């Protein structure tokens, strides 16, 4: 299948007790047949959440690498 357009990602970071972690810096790597692209995300908020979006155009075989 092919993917195109804006893609939205939300990441939640918790500690081992499932408490949200604020201020964690993250990098997401998107892998496609054309290669890898890395994105620096905003630090997590008080709920441990960081969100971002990116445009991928028309590409096949998009895969996300676990953060």
């Amino acid at each position: 299948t092919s993917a195109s357009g804006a893609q939205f990602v939300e990441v939640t970071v918790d500690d081992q007790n499932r408490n949200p972690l604020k201020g964690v810096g993250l990098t997401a790597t998107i892998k496609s047949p054309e290669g890898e692209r890395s994105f620096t995300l905003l630090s997590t908020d008080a709920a441990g959440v960081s969100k971002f979006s990116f445009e991928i155009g028309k590409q096949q075989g998009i895969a996300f690498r676990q953060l």
Side-chain angles (χ1 to χ4, degrees), residues 2-23:
S2 65
S4 65
Q7 304 296 308
F8 300 91
V9 178
E10 180 176 312
V11 178
T12 302
V13 181
D14 297 329
D15 67 14
Q16 66 271 20
N17 296 314
R18 299 195 54 108
N19 297 309
L21 294 175
K22 179 181 178 182

Side-chain angles (χ1 to χ4, degrees), residues 31-53:
K31 185 177 180 181
S32 74
E34 288 76 27
E36 292 186 353
R37 293 169 50 196
S38 292
F39 300 87
T40 301
L41 284 64
L42 294 174
S43 295
T44 55
D45 61 17
V49 175
S50 181
K51 300 176 186 180
F52 79 107
S53 65

Side-chain angles (χ1 to χ4, degrees), residues 48-67:
V49 175
S50 181
K51 300 176 186 180
F52 79 107
S53 65
F54 62 98
E55 184 73 31
I56 62 169
K58 290 189 174 198
Q59 298 181 20
Q60 300 236 349
I62 300 298
F64 288 91
R65 181 180 287 176
Q66 205 170 21
L67 300 174

